Amino acid sequence: MQTMKEENRGYDNYIDGRFVPPCDGGRFVSFNPATGREWGSFAESTAADIDAAVSAARRALSGPWGDLSATRRGRLLMAWGEKIASNAERIARLESAQNGKLLAEMHAQANIVREWLYYYGGLADKIEGRVIPLERKSVLNYTLREPLGVVGVIVPWNSPTFLTVMSCAPALAAGNTVVLKPSEVTSASAFELMKCAEEAGIPPGVINVVTGGRAAGEALVDHPDVAKISFTGSDAAGRAIAARAGARLASCALELGGKSPNIVFEDAAIDNAVAGLLSGIFAAAGQTCIAGSRAYIHQSIYDQVLDRLVQRARSIKLGDPLAPDTQMGPAATRAQLRKNEAMVADSVAHGAEVLSGGRRAAVAGLEEGYFFEPTILHRVGDDNPLIHQEVFGPVLAVMPFSDEDDVVAKANATKFGLAAGVWTKDLRRAHTMAQRLQAGTVWVNTYRALAFNAPFGGYKDSGIGRVNGVEAIDQFLQTKCVWCELSDEIQDPFVLKV
Ligand code: NAD
């Protein structure tokens, strides 16, 4: 593989197995959020670069990738997973330096994507059609499940490798090829994934990387040879992408934002619930789509749980995401830091009260970093913007509730429906709540759990489609129905049978 210009961290696009400079020479820079300093530069791709990448993906589709048996395709995905896992440390360091999330979390993600590639690699040769027993017995009627073609994958910055593999693994297992546009905040690790793919023996052109921001994403969505867009990101961008794709009748899978309720009943194991509330919002500095950003606590235990939450939040250690004892890193971008500040101020202006945090944090030695204190607000009314808008930062709104009906109404009263947590020892209540909550995932007595074989996705404005599990592979297939007349009988509509 051609080496990248690592001495000055300048990355070109990766198209057809080669590094290619952007057609018009445009570049952008990314920043290290822990230091606030420039980190590296990347190709600012235009429609011409996207076209080159899509053309390469099309050639691979009808060439080396399309020619492979499903079993062999699956084996290559598994080999890719092995390579990624053995380079997890390097991938994690690149990601942590770009999004400021803890090295330990990025490492765990880069390591665990092997499980996803094993699962979908194994599913590749289990994609089967059906034989349909028609009324007319002389017809053999069956279905073929075929790939869609070139899939455009657009991902955000919070979990770059994890979310890239979540979309690419099922898309590739189904026989498609991919053009990936990583986030402009965290583009570097995508090139490590390409290096791993190449070493695993995945043919050139099967996965291509074009970098850039919104304009590059739009060019990918608009390209007439992209059959489907698999998008993970904000609901605002998802809405814009679905509208653009809809204009040319291309389909979309959308994994969008959330405002997930984390509900604690009076009979819950309080220690576990407090740990679940804290990790639900402060792990990853709240920069996770499944952040449990609304805590509903039963009124009989409200004060004691709130006290414990505030005490624990105040003791969270902020610092360098690469240091093993750091518990929370910075916001990934200056813009996200400003959003955290602005949303807390707006919530207070609407009557909420800050109990802990609420401001930028100073970290010794990293004075220019984008650190924000773990923040808890209470007295947050039902109409407060903090109930309805995603912060994507370490900001928790805590509210009391009286009974099941009350909390179900409150929990469901947002446009989002990604996830929900319920803490209770009552079996009947646990399952009743699971049925009544409008969310694609409901966790009972746990939070923030994901698995390669457990489907994940949003209700309402949190998305369309599912990642993970068998459901995900269906998103990247189309069904062809074949009618085969086996008798010699001529069916001529103009010859009258008597
Ligand atoms: P974002 O929507 O701003 O950007 C995501 C990606 O889309 C980036 O690569 C960006 O360049 C591109 N993009 C932005 N606007 C576009 C447009 N109009 N057309 C084409 N491409 C466009 O999101 P972000 O700030 O990078 O990530 C945070 C968001 O992602 C949060 O809302 C979070 O909840 C969501 N998210 C969802 C999931 C999930 O699985 N549901 C997982 C992680 C993050």
Side-chain angles (χ1 to χ4, degrees):
M1 166 178 264
Q2 182 184 329
T3 51
M4 301 157 195
K5 293 171 247 159
E6 278 179 67
E7 63 283 359
N8 60 359
R9 294 204 195 97
Y11 293 82
D12 289 333
N13 285 328
Y14 182 81
I15 297 173
D16 217 1
R18 289 181 305 117
F19 282 91
V20 184
C23 292
D24 73 358
R27 305 195 69 78
F28 66 94
V29 293
S30 77
F31 292 83
N32 180 331
T35 62
R37 286 202 286 270
E38 274 188 24
W39 186 86
S41 81
F42 299 87
E44 183 76 73
S45 304
T46 58
D49 302 301
I50 306 294
D51 187 53
V54 174
S55 300
R58 281 197 65 181
R59 286 194 298 276
L61 195 64
S62 53
W65 195 239
D67 289 345
L68 283 179
S69 72
T71 304
R72 181 78 192 124
R73 202 165 68 219
R75 295 284 193 280
L76 290 180
L77 292 182
M78 293 179 191
W80 189 26
E82 288 298 336
K83 293 284 176 192
I84 296 174
S86 56
N87 286 284
E89 174 75 17
R90 183 172 165 72
I91 292 167
R93 283 191 178 276
L94 287 173
E95 296 192 340
S96 194
Q98 289 204 286
N99 67 8
K101 286 176 79 174
L102 300 189
L103 180 64
E105 182 178 358
M106 295 295 96
H107 191 279
Q109 290 185 356
N111 207 29
I112 206 165
V113 294
R114 172 174 41 188
E115 306 298 330
W116 266 254
L117 285 158
Y118 259 81
Y119 178 73
Y120 287 105
L123 270 184
D125 61 6
K126 291 158 198 73
I127 297 167
E128 295 163 349
R130 291 183 297 142
V131 175
I132 294 151
L134 290 190
E135 181 74 15
R136 185 177 168 80
K137 287 195 162 179
S138 60
V139 173
L140 173 62
N141 186 290
Y142 62 93
T143 59
L144 296 172
R145 304 194 69 210
E146 299 184 337
L148 300 169
V150 178
V151 174
V153 172
I154 302 178
V155 291
W157 46 261
N158 62 326
S159 298
T161 289
F162 196 41
L163 297 170
T164 294
V165 171
M166 263 193 208
S167 283
C168 289
L172 294 170
N176 303 281
T177 55
V178 166
V179 175
L180 165 69
K181 195 208 77 67
S183 165
E184 58 274 38
V185 178
T186 50
S187 302
S189 58
F191 297 104
E192 289 300 315
L193 300 187
M194 296 306 100
K195 194 168 150 196
C196 294
E198 202 173 307
E199 286 173 4
I202 294 180
V206 173
I207 324 173
N208 308 274
V209 179
V210 282
T211 54
R214 179 180 174 154
E218 287 175 346
L220 184 57
V221 174
D222 286 344
H223 198 292
D225 291 333
V226 172
K228 177 152 192 160
I229 297 292
S230 178
F231 172 76
T232 310
S234 61
D235 63 307
R239 223 176 283 279
I241 286 170
R244 281 187 105 89
R248 62 176 185 89
L249 294 181
S251 72
C252 286
L254 303 173
E255 287 294 329
L256 308 177
K259 193 77 213 181
S260 300
N262 209 348
I263 300 164
V264 185
F265 282 97
E266 64 278 19
D267 65 337
I270 300 292
D271 287 349
N272 294 353
V274 168
L277 291 172
L278 289 165
S279 72
I281 185 67
F282 297 131
Q287 299 171 128
T288 149
C289 55
I290 49 183
S293 49
R294 291 182 294 145
Y296 290 101
I297 318 287
H298 190 265
Q299 58 195 21
S300 64
I301 54 167
Y302 185 77
D303 290 340
Q304 57 155 310
V305 172
L306 192 55
D307 280 353
R308 288 176 65 173
L309 283 173
V310 169
Q311 271 176 36
R312 291 281 306 275
R314 286 183 182 149
S315 70
I316 289 173
K317 186 175 184 312
L318 273 75
D320 180 352
L322 300 181
D325 61 339
T326 296
Q327 293 175 320
M328 210 176 96
T333 61
R334 199 181 291 277
Q336 181 60 52
L337 178 66
R338 290 197 185 114
K339 186 177 181 198
N340 295 350
E341 289 179 309
M343 285 204 63
V344 170
D346 193 30
S347 180
V348 169
H350 283 80
E353 195 179 313
V354 175
L355 289 176
S356 74
R359 293 167 307 186
R360 290 182 186 209
V363 171
L366 296 170
E367 286 76 11
E368 300 304 312
Y370 312 148
F371 294 92
F372 194 78
E373 293 175 339
T375 298
I376 296 177
L377 296 102
H378 79 153
R379 303 194 201 291
V380 189
D382 292 343
D383 295 331
N384 194 296
L386 201 56
I387 296 291
H388 301 282
Q389 293 168 21
E390 185 183 45
V391 180
F392 216 59
V395 180
L396 178 67
V398 187
M399 286 77 54
F401 70 90
S402 55
D403 59 24
E404 259 178 54
D405 286 347
D406 178 34
V407 77
V408 166
K410 286 174 167 154
N412 287 341
T414 76
K415 64 177 181 173
F416 293 113
L418 193 58
V422 178
W423 300 85
T424 179
K425 288 183 189 151
D426 181 333
L427 201 60
R428 179 205 64 79
R429 171 179 277 161
H431 292 294
T432 307
M433 289 296 291
Q435 286 175 13
R436 296 182 72 187
L437 291 168
Q438 295 164 355
T441 295
V442 177
W443 290 295
V444 179
N445 296 328
T446 184
Y447 202 85
R448 256 190 127 220
L450 290 175
F452 53 84
N453 48 0
F456 174 83
Y459 276 29
K460 302 195 284 187
D461 288 12
S462 287
I464 298 174
R466 291 291 177 272
V467 289
N468 307 342
V470 185
E471 281 85 345
I473 210 158
D474 292 335
Q475 325 258 326
F476 298 104
L477 289 162
Q478 53 193 339
T479 301
K480 181 179 281 170
C481 188
V482 180
W483 293 62
C484 185
E485 174 60 63
L486 301 178
S487 77
D488 283 335
E489 198 182 319
I490 296 168
Q491 296 175 54
D492 186 334
F494 302 107
V495 176
L496 204 57
K497 281 188 202 158
V498 279

